Amino acid sequence: MLLFLKSDNTENWEVLKIQEPELGKAMTMLEFLSQDAESRRQHEMRQKALHDESSLREGAREEGEMKGDTITVNHLLVHEIF
């Protein structure tokens, strides 16, 4: 299974990644670690940006839900529906 480490032929890597998800994670990490320092830095910056964007979206969604709940409660109070 680990023969892929000794081979420059990466044609079967995608198949292995699909068939063995844990192996796919390991291969992705190996690819990442084999990059030069600048490529790793850029990758880490992209990952951080994606994480930050996801966090912002989640925060906005939660804020929207809270605002929607407030509007609903106000509507019920105004129309005396409770």
Side-chain angles (χ1 to χ4, degrees), residues 69-82:
D69 290 345
T70 302
I71 291 170
T72 301
V73 169
N74 287 338
H75 176 76
L76 293 172
L77 290 173
V78 166
H79 297 288
E80 297 180 2
I81 306 170
F82 49 91

Side-chain angles (χ1 to χ4, degrees), residues 35-50:
Q35 296 174 352
D36 62 57
E38 179 62 18
S39 295
R40 281 194 306 272
R41 186 186 70 75
Q42 289 176 359
H43 173 77
E44 288 169 353
M45 288 175 58
R46 279 192 304 276
Q47 290 300 107
K48 183 182 181 317
L50 290 171

Side-chain angles (χ1 to χ4, degrees), residues 19-55:
Q19 291 175 346
E20 300 290 337
E22 292 301 316
L23 182 58
K25 289 178 186 177
M27 292 165 74
T28 300
M29 182 56 69
L30 285 172
E31 290 170 0
F32 172 71
L33 293 173
S34 68
Q35 296 174 352
D36 62 57
E38 179 62 18
S39 295
R40 281 194 306 272
R41 186 186 70 75
Q42 289 176 359
H43 173 77
E44 288 169 353
M45 288 175 58
R46 279 192 304 276
Q47 290 300 107
K48 183 182 181 317
L50 290 171
H51 181 268
D52 291 349
E53 180 182 353
S54 177
S55 294

